[in-house]
Amino acid sequence: MDRISQIEDIDQMNQDSMTQGLLTRRNILKGTGAAMLAIAATSAPGVTAMASAQDTKSSTPEPGEGTRAQRLVWWRASRFGMFIHFGVYSTIGRHEWEMEDEAIPVAEYAPHAVTFHPRAGSPAAWAKLAKQAGMRYMVLTTKHHEGFCNFDTKLTNYNAAKQGPGRDVVREYVEAARAEGLRVGFYYSLMDWHHPDGAKCATDEEARKRFVEYTHGLIRELLTNYGKIDVLWYDVAWPLDANGWESIRMNKMIFELQPEIVVNNRNKLTGDFSTPEQRIVAETGGRAWESCMTMNDSWGYQAADDNWKNSRIILRNLITCARDDGNYLLNIGPKPDGSIPEPSVRALREVGEWLQTNGHTIYETDICQVRRSNYASFTRKGNTLYMHVHFWPGEYVAISGLRVKVKAAKLVKTGEAVALSQDEFRVRFTGLPMEAPDYPLTTIAIECDSEPHQDTDYVRVNKPRMGV
């Protein structure tokens, strides 16, 4: 994943992460050595300085801009996807950045590719779990920063077909996802720690040309050899900017090969959607966005990382994304043999069981303005407000400042009607069981006479005080 791009946002990212308890080694590194490397690249002859996507905008429309809304229809409705970080780093079991974090030389790291032996059929298990979890699409790392290609390519021998696996892992993944009716996505890291021009391209124009052609060639193979692909997920544009990568030409090729694909913004173009990482930050103005997060604190397999998210946390994150019209791309990091760590399996199955009953409150939902509660989260579809109670208080729940009339309410799990009373300042739902009827969240469907709107400031200002 990306510890280097968007250098200009380092301070804000660290502040956001600290606020949410997510100030990790990844974020700290963003602001130190990675930033220095990016600065060093700015003096490269023939290569412009690293720039943000906004800096590269021009009056010329980007490839795919005219078809963006149509191409995003299925993606926006899906809400929930599976990210899969799997590669040679999985055999080491110390996180996908291990090669750089411990400064492992290529000659020492590359032999691990020979010992990389995922079991045949592993991708089928990933896809089955994604389906069980209620996910609608998958995104696999076809090439991570380590430079190893999980697919059969003519451009390098450092690939799954010619190394340990002895077969095309990407092809197995594509076939497995399609067998479960899931949309197929490819992650591709532009940064490459293995290729001899991977860093040299920042200061040598001939190296840049070679490396760009290599990169475009790998992407061309990926989007030519596997049929219809639904998502291309770029990562880490270091050490070049959009001009250096020739990103306009890159995306033009992509849409010529895959006219219906959706593409993210990490090759320094605007792209179809934004990608906040390890945090939930909604876009404005109707722009599509997707929050990507890990199940623990690592993307690739980290044998010692036991800081697992449980199903309640996962669902609260999913609800928060859906509330603001975003997607949630949740990662698994398979073990070297391709098996999925048991805590991930257990949590995702619980999420899937909940979505079997409550999925209609998540998929294809609308932006929800109601959000204020200390024990519940909200989504909306039309005039129906869904109150997802994650800390069940028993007896009753209430919403402050709901400025529409509530006509009826029911428990989604049982269909049982819920009694309610409403005045100018609050609506109370009463007669509820002491124990939560559903796990890990209980949802109440609230039918309103118009689009639900909450104004807690109105309550604060106008609610009568004692003696008034």
Side-chain angles (χ1 to χ4, degrees):
M1 289 297 294
D2 184 357
R3 289 195 289 187
I4 295 178
S5 64
Q6 303 297 333
I7 297 298
E8 64 275 22
D9 291 332
I10 290 167
D11 292 338
Q12 184 61 50
M13 288 275 291
N14 285 345
Q15 182 61 45
D16 291 343
S17 296
M18 189 178 296
T19 300
Q20 300 183 38
L22 290 171
L23 184 56
T24 64
R25 183 167 57 99
R26 173 188 302 271
N27 292 320
I28 293 169
L29 284 174
K30 270 188 175 178
T32 54
M36 295 304 296
L37 286 170
I39 292 167
T42 63
S43 60
V47 182
T48 56
M50 190 175 191
S52 68
Q54 185 175 2
D55 294 334
T56 64
K57 287 182 181 178
S58 70
S59 58
T60 304
E62 289 184 6
E65 197 168 314
T67 61
R68 182 171 296 146
Q70 179 181 350
R71 289 183 290 104
L72 280 168
V73 168
W74 73 265
W75 187 90
R76 285 181 178 276
S78 297
R79 293 295 184 223
F80 197 21
M82 175 181 279
F83 217 172
I84 306 146
H85 275 64
F86 190 54
V88 172
Y89 47 82
S90 305
T91 68
I92 304 173
R94 291 192 177 199
H95 198 283
E96 77 286 351
W97 275 74
E98 181 65 8
M99 185 178 179
E100 180 162 293
D101 285 351
E102 293 190 2
I104 302 174
V106 171
E108 181 182 329
Y109 188 90
H112 286 282
V114 179
T115 68
F116 183 35
H117 294 295
R119 290 198 301 254
S122 298
W126 308 339
K128 287 182 185 300
L129 180 60
K131 184 75 169 183
Q132 290 175 345
M135 293 161 163
R136 299 289 180 85
Y137 60 104
M138 303 174 72
V139 179
L140 171 69
T141 50
T142 63
K143 180 183 81 71
H144 204 262
H145 316 328
E146 64 181 5
F148 182 81
C149 297
N150 273 322
F151 56 100
D152 189 5
T153 170
K154 296 178 181 179
L155 301 179
T156 177
N157 288 330
Y158 198 50
N159 70 69
K162 296 180 179 65
Q163 300 293 330
R167 62 188 190 278
D168 190 328
V169 174
V170 167
R171 186 169 299 281
E172 288 187 5
Y173 153 75
V174 169
E175 292 172 354
R178 289 180 181 146
E180 296 296 334
L182 301 171
R183 298 273 187 162
V184 177
F186 287 164
Y187 165 109
Y188 183 92
S189 172
L190 297 167
M191 181 167 68
D192 193 315
W193 299 327
H194 179 87
H195 194 283
D197 292 326
K200 190 178 180 181
C201 63
T203 56
D204 184 320
E205 175 62 7
E206 291 306 311
R208 186 198 70 82
K209 290 178 181 178
R210 288 192 301 268
F211 190 51
V212 166
E213 289 311 306
Y214 173 74
T215 299
H216 285 217
L218 289 176
I219 294 172
R220 177 179 289 277
E221 286 182 329
L222 283 168
L223 299 185
T224 301
N225 296 340
Y226 301 94
K228 186 177 184 295
I229 304 303
D230 301 292
V231 180
L232 179 61
W233 216 100
Y234 294 116
D235 199 14
V236 187
W238 185 92
L240 305 176
D241 66 2
N243 291 331
W245 286 113
E246 301 180 35
S247 294
I248 293 288
R249 179 167 73 90
M250 185 188 296
N251 277 17
K252 185 173 184 293
M253 171 189 70
I254 286 161
F255 287 114
E256 287 172 352
L257 295 171
Q258 299 282 345
E260 298 180 8
I261 200 168
V262 296
V263 180
N264 78 346
N265 62 340
R266 293 197 181 190
N267 71 337
K268 296 297 180 179
L269 296 182
T270 302
D272 296 319
F273 63 96
S274 300
T275 54
E277 180 174 328
Q278 296 288 47
R279 57 194 187 127
I280 299 174
V281 182
E283 282 281 5
T284 58
R287 171 144 171 97
W289 62 277
E290 171 190 73
S291 179
C292 57
M293 288 189 179
T294 50
M295 290 286 291
N296 48 10
D297 289 333
S298 308
W299 297 96
Y301 178 59
Q302 164 75 297
D305 185 351
D306 60 357
N307 190 29
W308 299 101
K309 291 180 177 66
N310 60 32
S311 56
R312 175 180 290 156
I313 291 173
I314 292 168
L315 282 170
R316 288 181 67 182
N317 287 340
L318 176 59
I319 289 164
T320 301
C321 291
R323 180 196 68 193
D324 290 329
D325 199 27
N327 286 13
Y328 189 40
L329 187 64
L330 185 61
N331 182 75
I332 62 168
K335 297 178 181 180
D337 64 358
S339 62
I340 307 165
E342 179 55 34
S344 294
V345 174
R346 181 170 59 251
L348 288 177
R349 284 178 175 166
E350 289 178 358
V351 168
E353 289 175 5
W354 186 87
L355 285 169
Q356 285 181 9
T357 300
N358 299 276
H360 65 285
T361 71
I362 302 296
Y363 308 120
E364 302 179 47
T365 47
D366 305 308
I367 290 177
C368 181
Q369 184 271 340
V370 180
R371 58 188 60 213
R372 185 74 180 271
S373 173
N374 59 21
Y375 51 77
S377 305
F378 301 90
T379 57
R380 175 182 72 90
K381 189 175 291 186
N383 293 342
T384 302
L385 178 67
Y386 297 104
M387 184 180 189
H388 306 281
V389 184
H390 41 80
F391 300 136
W392 186 257
E395 295 188 49
Y396 79 91
V397 296
I399 304 175
S400 170
L402 196 62
R403 305 295 292 159
V404 296
K405 179 177 176 55
V406 176
K407 300 193 296 184
K410 67 178 181 180
L411 293 170
V412 172
K413 177 66 174 179
T414 64
E416 181 181 356
V418 174
L420 67 94
S421 60
Q422 184 175 14
D423 61 27
E424 183 180 0
F425 304 107
R426 66 174 175 172
V427 56
R428 299 178 80 242
F429 304 93
T430 57
L432 299 174
M434 289 302 298
E435 298 294 326
D438 204 356
Y439 177 84
L441 313 177
T442 295
T443 301
I444 302 173
I446 303 166
E447 296 293 333
C448 303
D449 66 353
S450 58
E451 180 180 326
H453 175 76
Q454 185 182 39
D455 187 351
T456 54
D457 286 344
Y458 177 86
V459 176
R460 180 180 298 174
V461 171
N462 295 289
K463 186 178 67 175
R465 267 53 173 180
M466 288 295 293
V468 177

